Amino acid sequence: MKPLAALFLREWRLSTRVGGGALMGALFFLIVVTVIPFGVGPDLKLLARIGPAILWIGALLATLLSLDRLFQADRDDGALDLLMMGETPLELVVVVKCLAHWAATGLPLVIAAPFLAVFMNLDPPAIGATVATLLVGTPALTFLGAIGAALTVSLRRGGLLSAILILPLTTPVLIFGVSATTAAVTEPTPFLAPFLILVALVLFSLVVGAIAAAQALRLSAN
Amino acid sequence: MPLIDLANPTRFLGFVGRLVPWLTAVTIVLFAVGLYGAFFLAPDDYQQGATVKIMFIHVPCAWLSMFVYATMAASSLGTLVWRHPLADVSMKAAAPIGAVFTFVCLATGSLWGKPMWGTWWVWDARLTSVLVLFIMYLGLIALWQTIEDPIRGAKAVAVLTLVGAINLPIIKFSVDWWNTLHQPAAVFRLGGPTIDISMLWPLLVTALAATCLFVTLQLLAMKNEIKRRRLRTLRLIEASRPHAVAGTPVVGAAS
Amino acid sequence: MMLPSLGPHAGFILAAYAVFLVAVIGVVVWIVLDGRQLSRQLAELEARGIRRRGSDKKPDAVP
């Protein structure tokens, strides 16, 4: 457990210090959510209806676009080779890196979400549901995005390509995240069923993301 | 000839050369029989009239969109587990063909939807899943185009193809869920479970014909891909040679 | 023989078959032209005396 904790601390420190870009994701999220009313108009009723979806899409884009440096910085300075040669399985390394990345960039999104939800004219229950689904669901986006980051690690400009590759895979997370949120607001539909499926998706993407990203990193190394 | 011999790309090329004329003939005959049955023997649908004729290409293309992805997923296993070069070649050859058939499936579905539903596009569960599949094909092609070294590229694409294959059922399931939430109650069902035998047999024949068409195209595209790799190898050899050899005949070409 | 009547939506049916035909012909033409170009380039290189080591071995074992 000790090397993993050390790795987590290292990743956390690297991404929160100057130049780490941890808060860029939250800033991007703020801007996306601010721009959408300019597109759809300031109708508060409409915004309240599509608000959870806007927050989810904003979080999705912010997560995916912040992932391009997840493995690339380590590859550039050689740390990735050391991590691969270490005794800790690469899959666990990937999981820990994702968790640290999520703590540094995903968690600020979740914390910013209730404030942005006020802009979207959401009711308190809807705000609660949005924050809950984002808190549970954004790690899934990070784990899936890690696959894209690992596949494009050797490319100089992999950021956009990685988003193209991963966005189709994130549809289930988006669907169940938004479904759970809207289910919490509209009366007859149950909240728990889509929410539990969302939780299942997170666990599933943890496994798939860790295995696939580790495999992609190994293949790109030799 | 034992099957294992085909694993050698040179023998594979010879095999393709002998097989393709036969496959082409079978494809044409099957299409002729299937479409004859579709247009002259199968009755019009009592609800949809003659537009049901679109089904005889729409459904085979939908079948191929999945079959080609399954072929690519199987080839990915060949790349990752057995590291076989022909599996790489098969993966790369299949991606554009699959994308084209998926596009035709979407386009014919749209042309069928306009007279039946009144719009070109409905966010119906099936159409939406196929659209996501189409985007995944394009993503795979984009990844092929970005990585220069074909061997390294094949490994990256293989990982992504397998991840996609694992995710596709989940995407399908979630789109179905999403669709039942949002779709108004009166959903028009394509085809439906009850289909008359006079319509079913031409459909099966055209589906078989489309599969033969894909196999033919796939073999030809694999042949091209093998040639492309040989060309790449030769160019690398040429580039690494000392100038002494290149001196004599190339002078004219360089001027 | 006569084509059966395609009803009021004949345009859509014909358009769907046209899309299919154009797509298939497009793929076939692309594959054939691509194959010819590759064969020509391979022949050019071989005419210049560039050969793979052990010509009938695995072509994909890039050095």
Side-chain angles (χ1 to χ4, degrees):
Chain A
M1 248 6 240
K2 221 174 170 189
L4 293 180
L7 180 66
F8 186 90
L9 278 179
R10 168 185 179 268
E11 295 292 325
W12 167 264
R13 286 200 196 109
L14 276 177
S15 52
T16 48
R17 70 173 187 191
V18 178
L23 285 177
M24 295 276 252
L27 195 57
F28 180 81
F29 186 36
L30 170 68
I31 291 168
V32 168
V33 172
T34 314
V35 159
I36 290 193
F38 295 130
V40 300
D43 179 2
L44 284 180
K45 266 197 194 124
L46 176 68
L47 286 179
R49 197 161 63 80
I50 62 175
I54 292 174
L55 291 175
W56 255 96
I57 291 172
L60 173 67
L61 294 179
T63 310
L64 285 189
L65 293 178
S66 67
L67 272 169
D68 59 333
R69 299 289 291 169
L70 182 61
F71 300 113
Q72 219 162 32
D74 281 352
R75 183 188 152 94
D76 291 348
D77 64 12
L80 192 61
D81 292 327
L82 290 179
L83 288 174
M84 269 194 259
M85 279 188 288
E87 284 174 16
T88 322
L90 193 56
E91 282 80 4
L92 282 181
V93 170
V94 170
V95 170
V96 170
K97 277 181 77 79
C98 287
L99 287 178
H101 186 273
W102 178 78
T105 58
L107 206 52
L109 299 183
V110 179
I111 295 169
F115 302 102
L116 297 178
V118 175
F119 289 155
M120 292 288 124
N121 191 30
L122 293 189
D123 305 327
I127 295 179
T130 310
V131 174
T133 50
L134 279 177
L135 181 67
V136 170
T138 41
L141 304 178
T142 310
F143 290 126
L144 287 175
I147 303 174
L151 285 173
T152 56
V153 69
S154 59
L155 305 176
R156 257 158 284 144
R157 312 188 58 185
L160 191 58
L161 178 64
S162 146
I164 292 172
L165 300 180
I166 295 307
L167 270 174
L169 303 180
T170 57
T171 29
V173 180
L174 185 65
I175 286 174
F176 284 103
V178 178
S179 298
T181 316
T182 45
V185 187
T186 49
E187 216 19 76
T189 41
F191 169 73
L192 205 58
F195 189 74
L196 289 181
I197 297 178
L198 182 66
V199 175
L201 283 175
V202 175
L203 296 176
F204 173 77
S205 54
L206 184 143
V207 176
V208 171
I211 293 175
Q215 190 65 25
L217 287 176
R218 281 197 202 100
L219 292 174
S220 77
N222 51 37
Chain B
M1 183 174 59
L3 201 61
I4 192 78
D5 279 2
L6 292 178
N8 177 317
T10 306
R11 296 220 184 92
F12 178 79
L13 284 183
F15 171 71
V16 169
R18 283 199 303 279
L19 196 62
V20 160
W22 291 99
L23 268 173
T24 315
V26 170
T27 307
I28 291 171
V29 168
L30 280 175
F31 263 119
V33 172
L35 290 180
Y36 178 79
F39 275 91
F40 297 98
L41 303 179
D44 287 352
D45 190 82
Y46 75 99
Q47 268 180 329
Q48 306 180 42
T51 50
V52 79
K53 305 281 187 242
I54 297 179
M55 176 178 78
F56 297 103
I57 45 168
H58 174 74
V59 172
C61 285
W63 147 248
L64 274 191
S65 69
M66 285 178 281
F67 181 72
V68 176
Y69 201 94
T71 308
M72 284 181 2
S75 307
S76 310
L77 278 181
T79 298
L80 291 180
V81 179
W82 294 285
R83 321 224 152 173
H84 200 285
L86 265 186
D88 298 11
V89 167
S90 157
M91 250 189 338
K92 185 164 186 190
I97 303 176
V100 166
F101 281 118
T102 314
F103 172 78
V104 173
C105 174
L106 286 172
T108 51
S110 186
L111 282 165
W112 195 0
K114 180 67 182 165
M116 288 297 106
W117 296 323
T119 54
W120 295 105
W121 182 260
V122 189
W123 287 95
D124 166 77
R126 263 183 254 199
L127 273 72
T128 313
S129 316
V130 175
L131 181 63
V132 174
L133 182 62
F134 182 58
I135 297 172
M136 284 171 64
Y137 272 117
L138 296 187
L140 288 171
I141 295 174
L143 190 58
W144 270 120
Q145 301 289 326
T146 333
I147 305 181
E148 264 171 51
D149 178 1
I151 292 177
R152 181 167 291 193
K155 287 171 177 166
V157 174
V159 170
L160 186 65
T161 311
L162 286 180
V163 170
I166 297 170
N167 267 285
L168 273 173
I170 299 174
I171 293 175
K172 182 79 179 76
F173 163 70
S174 53
V175 169
D176 282 342
W177 168 289
W178 165 83
N179 194 244
T180 47
L181 278 185
H182 293 270
Q183 193 77 173
V187 187
F188 175 80
R189 285 183 56 99
L190 288 177
T194 51
I195 177 166
D196 190 71
I197 188 76
S198 62
M199 265 191 215
L200 186 60
W201 77 259
L203 184 61
L204 291 178
V205 172
T206 45
L208 193 61
T211 313
C212 284
L213 175 64
F214 161 65
V215 174
T216 317
L217 294 175
Q218 166 79 354
L219 288 177
L220 288 173
M222 281 174 77
K223 193 172 158 187
N224 282 356
E225 189 54 33
I226 292 173
K227 281 189 202 160
R228 203 187 317 281
R229 292 187 174 204
R230 289 190 173 175
L231 195 61
R232 188 183 138 84
T233 314
L234 288 185
R235 290 225 166 107
L236 286 176
I237 292 173
E238 186 189 30
S240 63
R241 272 197 181 182
H243 290 288
V245 187
T248 35
V250 183
V251 174
S255 61
Chain C
M1 59 191 169
M2 280 276 293
L3 260 181
S5 150
L6 289 177
H9 303 301
F12 291 103
I13 301 169
L14 293 178
Y17 277 85
V19 166
F20 177 73
L21 212 62
V22 166
V24 170
I25 291 176
V27 173
V28 169
V29 167
W30 167 63
I31 287 179
V32 168
L33 289 185
D34 192 33
R36 276 193 195 158
Q37 195 192 358
L38 287 167
S39 298
R40 204 172 50 237
Q41 286 171 335
L42 270 176
E44 261 172 40
L45 278 173
E46 272 170 18
R48 270 191 263 158
I50 294 152
R51 264 171 232 290
R52 290 171 298 134
R53 297 153 302 159
S55 254
D56 283 321
K57 297 266 170 59
K58 275 182 166 184
D60 298 292
V62 180

